[in-house]
Amino acid sequence: QVQLVESGGGLVQPGGSLRLSCAASGFTVRYSAIGWVRQAPGKEREAVSCISSSTDSTYYADSVKGRFTISRDNAKNTVYLQLNSLKPEDTAVYYCATDGSAWCYSAAYVSYDYWGQGTQVTVSS
């Protein structure tokens, strides 16, 4: 059974940092593309980042390029999203997701089959 569990969210001041974790079970992240998607209140889901299997190709939304970094720890079967230089507009619930594909379809893809429960990130002074 595919399960994804996010953690690491919280309240942070503008300019601060957080590291989100996505612990996977029921499949191996090494062989699957994993995406991070966020949703702010009243807004559509927005793809943030994705990491492909094998080649570790990564994709980022233009709004987070240079500030966020996606990575994977195969030994822990976990994917991370490092959030730096956070802005109030980064406030959202962040989800990790997968659909079993080895590749990221695009930087904007959000139609994954499996989702975690989400972790809240709030950027405020």
Side-chain angles (χ1 to χ4, degrees):
Q1 181 180 357
V2 173
Q3 280 195 317
L4 298 163
V5 179
E6 303 95 334
S7 61
L11 172 64
V12 64
Q13 292 186 341
S17 298
L18 287 172
R19 189 177 79 157
L20 307 183
S21 299
C22 173
S25 60
F27 72 103
T28 303
V29 299
R30 175 184 298 184
Y31 304 118
S32 299
I34 305 294
W36 284 94
V37 177
R38 68 186 180 185
Q39 187 166 24
K43 294 190 176 181
E44 297 289 321
R45 285 181 174 177
E46 176 191 18
V48 175
S49 183
C50 184
I51 184 167
S52 291
S53 68
S54 303
T55 63
D56 281 345
S57 297
T58 57
Y59 301 85
Y60 298 95
D62 288 341
S63 58
V64 307
K65 276 182 184 176
R67 300 188 298 121
F68 292 8
T69 304
I70 192 170
S71 62
R72 180 173 56 220
D73 186 332
N74 294 330
K76 294 183 178 181
N77 212 35
T78 298
V79 172
Y80 301 99
L81 187 68
Q82 178 69 40
L83 286 59
N84 295 331
S85 302
L86 282 161
K87 305 175 181 180
E89 51 264 42
D90 294 318
T91 295
V93 178
Y94 284 70
Y95 301 88
C96 62
T98 187
D99 62 4
S101 171
W103 307 104
C104 297
Y105 296 110
S106 74
Y109 184 74
V110 296
S111 300
Y112 297 99
D113 293 330
Y114 302 99
W115 296 77
Q117 83 287 352
T119 186
Q120 176 70 47
V121 172
T122 302
V123 185
S124 175
S125 56

